[in-house]
Amino acid sequence: MAMRNATQQVVRALEPSLTRSLHASPGSKKIVGVFYKGGEYAGQNPNFVGCVENALGIRSWLESQGHQYIVTDDKDGPNCELEKHIADAHVLITTPFHPAYVSADRIRRGKNLELLLTAGIGSDHIELPAAAAAGLTVAEVTGSNTVSVAEDQLMRILVLMRNFLPGHHQAISGEWDLAGIAHRAYDLEGKTVGTVGAGRIGKLLLQRLKPFGCNLLYHDRLRVDAALEEELGAAFEEDLDAMLPKCDVVVLNMPLTEKTKGMFNKEKIAKMKKGVIIVNNARGAIMDTQAVADACKSGHIAGYGGDVWYPQPAPKEHPWRYMPNNAMTPHISGTTIDGQLRYAAGVKDMLERYFKGQDFPEPNYIVKEGKLASQYQ
């Protein structure tokens, strides 16, 4: 709380001196995009627009209007490609899937920066208080991959609940040991599933879980309206610590902030029932990395699945790679082909509005006129 208040005081103190416009300054712009490499797969699907090679499908459009568009995957270290362009870039497009960490130092050196766009959802790789204090606009493509992530969460719940991965490993290794799978395979029907966070993704997950006949719970700082709550068939739990012991499955659906960083530590995990399944497609840093690995090893966590790590890309020695009963993947849930097309279209729409001096859709703003969106405060 003290850190948040201090940040707000700094932002308020700087507001009168903000000089960077909410809209584009006149003339040609230098736009830098940081995405993951497509490599040999870049040419296999024309809709695979989220990679470096296909650059969100907006290169021709930008260059036809006289703008410069630099795209790279090289984002780390003092001599990386991003560092060569940050000083004179007007717009920086980044992504949660291959995050270019936009520190206060990078913001300070980006003297021409006006706009930071996230191709996708989740802008915690940007030092948001520093962006606010510098007068930058930060926006993301709200809603672009909510369906993608909610579907992925449901998949991981089922994979872990049914003990699918050991069975698959048997199939590809020539083994046949039914007991090795069946001794910890369960039906989802009748289980209690709780989501920590009931925003866009959390609501979509609850909708998809309802036909499975689960007991659905949710915790959020804001209660959904009564009609939607009834439609979802989910009960509100005001006290997170009271909800956790009730759940057979806990799904994380909150943003990474100073308040939520490391929130699920050893003590919080101990409040969950023994044999809990946890699915985290939110952010890896919400969890205490070693506490999760230890709880998986002891069996207190029966299964942990997700696609988010800290840091990203995850180093080879990251303990989540090797802990038992994990359903981990690289950060892929929100970058399906359908998700890519939606967030590419959203980025193009915001760039077009930026060039014309028009406002963005209000839900897209993460930082506007020196103020952070409520979920990051």
Side-chain angles (χ1 to χ4, degrees):
M1 181 66 73
M3 182 177 292
R4 184 177 71 179
N5 290 340
T7 297
Q8 291 173 336
Q9 289 170 7
V10 168
V11 172
R12 283 196 295 268
L14 288 172
E15 278 176 351
S17 63
L18 297 178
T19 57
R20 306 193 201 192
S21 172
L22 183 63
H23 304 118
S25 55
S28 174
K29 299 298 176 188
K30 181 173 183 177
I31 299 155
V32 177
V34 183
F35 314 115
Y36 56 83
K37 270 188 177 178
E40 63 182 293
Y41 308 104
Q44 293 186 15
N45 185 339
N47 291 325
F48 182 21
V49 294
C51 61
V52 166
E53 293 86 343
N54 297 328
L56 301 184
I58 57 175
R59 181 179 295 282
S60 297
W61 171 69
L62 286 172
E63 293 179 348
S64 70
Q65 298 187 57
H67 303 299
Q68 184 182 7
Y69 189 31
I70 305 294
V71 178
T72 184
D73 72 313
D74 185 17
K75 60 188 177 60
D76 298 319
N79 299 315
C80 71
E81 192 68 18
L82 174 57
E83 286 297 322
K84 297 176 184 176
H85 299 284
I86 197 71
D88 59 347
H90 298 94
V91 179
L92 176 60
I93 307 170
T94 58
T95 172
F97 315 107
H98 183 69
Y101 292 101
V102 185
S103 63
D105 183 57
R106 273 184 168 163
I107 290 170
R108 179 184 57 79
R109 287 183 285 106
K111 297 188 183 302
N112 288 344
L113 276 175
E114 296 175 345
L115 177 62
L116 303 176
L117 291 178
T118 297
I121 303 171
S123 299
D124 48 88
H125 57 285
I126 300 168
E127 198 162 329
L128 296 174
L136 295 176
T137 298
V138 182
E140 57 189 41
V141 191
T142 297
S144 60
N145 49 23
T146 51
V147 168
S148 311
V149 176
E151 288 184 359
D152 188 277
Q153 291 175 338
L154 178 57
M155 174 190 71
R156 290 177 204 264
I157 292 171
L158 288 166
V159 161
L160 291 166
M161 185 66 70
R162 300 305 294 264
N163 206 24
F164 172 84
L165 289 173
H168 178 64
H169 292 154
Q170 285 188 26
I172 62 177
S173 63
E175 300 175 27
W176 193 274
D177 177 11
L178 298 184
I181 308 163
H183 78 286
R184 56 190 309 276
Y186 297 89
D187 295 342
L188 181 55
E189 184 179 28
K191 302 301 186 293
T192 297
V193 183
T195 175
V196 186
R200 291 176 178 85
I201 295 171
K203 291 187 185 79
L204 287 172
L205 175 65
L206 291 170
Q207 288 173 348
R208 283 152 177 75
L209 283 168
K210 186 177 180 180
F212 284 86
C214 302
N215 178 31
L216 300 177
L217 306 175
Y218 75 95
H219 168 79
D220 200 285
R221 61 193 179 91
L222 300 174
R223 186 169 186 170
V224 304
D225 67 77
L228 180 56
E229 194 173 272
E230 183 176 358
E231 179 188 326
L232 295 171
F236 176 63
E237 293 278 343
E238 186 174 2
D239 185 345
L240 175 60
D241 287 345
M243 182 183 86
L244 292 177
K246 302 175 183 178
C247 296
D248 301 296
V249 181
V250 174
V251 187
L252 303 186
N253 276 309
M254 78 271 271
L256 176 63
T257 67
E258 287 299 325
K259 289 171 63 177
T260 63
K261 188 173 185 179
M263 178 178 176
F264 282 82
N265 53 20
K266 181 179 179 180
E267 292 72 28
K268 190 72 76 177
I269 291 170
K271 295 179 186 295
M272 301 182 193
K273 64 168 61 176
K274 182 175 172 61
V276 69
I277 286 172
I278 300 176
V279 173
N280 177 16
N281 289 52
R283 287 296 180 265
I286 292 171
M287 311 299 295
D288 179 321
T289 298
Q290 194 58 51
V292 170
D294 291 344
C296 284
K297 186 175 181 180
S298 73
H300 189 82
I301 296 176
Y304 183 91
D307 68 334
V308 288
W309 310 67
Y310 185 77
Q312 288 188 186
K316 289 184 177 180
E317 64 274 13
H318 198 292
W320 290 359
R321 292 182 181 270
Y322 310 106
M323 64 190 183
N325 303 317
N326 84 76
M328 295 299 299
T329 65
H331 194 171
I332 56 158
S333 63
T335 189
T336 62
I337 295 300
D338 303 281
Q340 291 174 47
L341 291 172
R342 287 190 293 264
Y343 63 69
V347 167
K348 182 178 180 181
D349 175 70
M350 286 192 287
L351 285 172
E352 195 161 26
R353 291 168 183 259
Y354 163 72
F355 297 144
K356 293 178 179 179
Q358 299 173 352
D359 285 343
F360 302 155
E362 198 62 33
N364 288 13
Y365 284 108
I366 303 302
V367 175
K368 180 182 181 182
E369 297 175 336
K371 297 179 181 178
L372 276 68
S374 61
Q375 66 266 36
Y376 286 102
Q377 292 179 8

